[in-house]
Amino acid sequence: MTASASASAPESPTTVTDERLLGTSPLKRLLGRPELGSVVGALAVFLFFSIVADSFLRASSLSTVLYAASTIGIMAVPVALLMIGGEFDLSAGVMVTSSALVSSMFSYQMTANIWVGVGVSLLVTLAIGAFNGFVLTRTGLPSFIVTLGTFLMLTGMNLGLTKLISGTVSTKSISDMDGFSSAQALFASTLTVGGVPFKVTILWWLALVALASWILLRTRAGNWIFAVGGNKDAARAVGVPVTRTKIGLYMGVALGAWISGQHLLFSYDVVQSGEGVGNELIYIIAAVIGGCLITGGYGSAIGSAVGAFLFGMTSKGIVFAEWNPDWFKFFLGAMLLLATLLNTWVRKRAEATT
């Protein structure tokens, strides 16, 4: 009787629960965000310059900071996606100048409407991005070698073709050509909000951040990007189109370069062929400060925006504080190291709490 009762008695609930059914605490989710370290750093820099620079908190000053951040952020967003995908692009800086040169010289030499040159520039710039991705995936060479080669070729072509066509190292003025005013309104206009001028590049920047975040977090392509950055062989084994994903990421960088190049052209009317060299490192720095790993598979578009904002605050904060601007690179390097160390610490804490 006792044995029968014990056999038919319901089992006591176990204390072991399937880990897949466990909820994730808000703290764990917060520690798992790749941009957490950069947000903490941005708050610290913002408070620092708010104290040492009296004019830093003025609306006009913040507008200047946002503009400086946007000129970096437009490129930092696609560069961040590329780094999450496990690659990087050393040709991104000069590609911006190439895009502007194509728009200007094609329109001027063909005496065409400005928008024709803008359209041709878009096609040429996307082709450069596709070339980088195609060579990378077909040859298996490291992205350092492939994009360094493209960087050198574009640097030489920018200078050589500009001197061959224009006779100087800069393009001719196109401000009196048809379509200039409408193109300038789209790429280089100034919007006034509450009496404070804001550059349209800020809207371009925010739109790219929103689009990239949506792609990463809400689409199948976002899963592909993280997968190929984490382990491309494993990703290919489960059906991820690695080649198509990497080419698409390089074309995304090219799209950002086209937007930045048009802003450069329609802000100043003429373009110097030697511009852009070295900017690719700034884009990468902004992405790394924002939480992207050099090894790939980790990062966010929002983090790259925070990294660009840190760049804008530092570059303009030093001016508002009336310090010697020669110290800017020192502060930029210090931010890079500190942000990387903080991001590493945050990731370790996140892994320890899971």
Side-chain angles (χ1 to χ4, degrees), residues 6 32 48 61 192 212 237 246 259 352:
S6 61
F48 175 75
S61 299
T192 302
K246 287 185 179 289
I259 296 172

Side-chain angles (χ1 to χ4, degrees), residues 2-304:
T2 304
S4 175
S6 61
S8 61
E11 297 181 0
S12 59
T14 61
T15 57
V16 180
T17 306
D18 190 335
E19 64 179 1
R20 292 172 297 179
L21 302 178
L22 293 175
T24 303
S25 67
L27 178 60
K28 289 182 180 180
R29 289 198 297 268
L30 180 62
L31 290 176
R33 294 300 305 169
E35 65 271 5
L36 177 60
S38 61
V39 170
V40 173
L43 289 174
V45 172
F46 183 84
L47 291 174
F48 175 75
F49 282 114
S50 298
I51 295 172
V52 302
D54 296 335
S55 61
F56 185 76
L57 292 179
R58 295 175 184 171
S60 58
S61 299
L62 292 178
S63 172
T64 303
V65 168
L66 286 173
Y67 173 60
S70 69
T71 57
I72 301 300
I74 288 174
M75 286 299 295
V77 170
V79 166
L81 266 62
L82 180 64
M83 292 181 66
I84 295 171
E87 309 294 346
F88 56 94
D89 192 345
L90 293 179
S91 66
V94 293
M95 199 188 307
V96 172
T97 306
S98 299
S99 171
L101 289 172
V102 171
S103 292
S104 178
M105 289 193 292
F106 187 89
S107 298
Y108 186 85
Q109 295 300 321
M110 303 302 292
T111 61
N113 187 288
I114 291 296
W115 285 105
V116 176
V118 170
V120 171
S121 174
L122 175 60
L123 295 177
V124 171
T125 310
L126 289 177
I128 295 172
F131 171 81
N132 281 336
F134 178 78
V135 173
L136 177 86
T137 55
R138 293 291 292 180
T139 64
L141 292 173
S143 56
F144 175 85
I145 298 298
V146 173
T147 59
L148 178 60
T150 307
F151 162 81
L152 295 173
M153 288 189 293
L154 289 180
T155 302
M157 289 178 62
N158 288 350
L159 180 60
L161 288 179
T162 304
K163 292 181 70 174
L164 178 64
I165 296 174
S166 301
T168 63
V169 296
S170 64
T171 60
K172 304 294 185 181
S173 174
I174 58 172
S175 59
D176 57 347
M177 297 186 66
D178 292 338
F180 182 87
S181 58
S182 57
Q184 187 180 51
L186 180 62
F187 294 107
S189 60
T190 300
L191 309 175
T192 302
V193 179
V196 180
F198 291 91
K199 291 289 188 178
V200 73
T201 49
I202 300 173
L203 297 180
W204 279 103
W205 176 35
L206 295 178
L208 287 176
V209 172
L211 176 61
S213 297
W214 176 75
I215 291 174
L216 284 177
L217 303 177
R218 294 289 184 268
T219 68
R220 184 171 55 177
N223 293 332
W224 293 346
I225 293 171
F226 281 108
V228 299
N231 189 323
K232 66 179 181 180
D233 293 327
R236 184 179 286 110
V238 296
V240 173
V242 175
T243 298
R244 191 169 67 188
T245 300
K246 287 185 179 289
I247 292 176
L249 288 172
Y250 275 104
M251 292 181 71
V253 174
L255 177 62
W258 174 73
I259 296 172
S260 296
Q262 304 319 295
H263 171 69
L264 175 66
L265 171 62
F266 294 110
S267 292
Y268 303 104
D269 180 24
V270 297
V271 182
Q272 297 292 327
S273 58
E275 293 185 17
V277 176
N279 285 348
E280 61 281 345
L281 296 179
I282 295 178
Y283 307 146
I284 294 173
I285 288 172
V288 172
I289 289 177
C292 292
L293 296 181
I294 296 293
T295 53
Y298 189 80
S300 71
I302 294 176
S304 71

Side-chain angles (χ1 to χ4, degrees), residues 41-42 44-46 48-49 56 65 68-69 289 306-321 323-325 327-336:
V45 172
F46 183 84
F48 175 75
F49 282 114
F56 185 76
V65 168
I289 289 177
V306 178
F309 186 55
L310 266 165
F311 176 92
M313 284 194 295
T314 304
S315 62
K316 300 306 176 183
I318 290 175
V319 176
F320 295 143
W323 295 347
N324 188 337
W327 288 94
F328 167 67
K329 291 294 179 64
F330 171 82
F331 282 102
L332 188 61
M335 281 196 306
L336 174 63

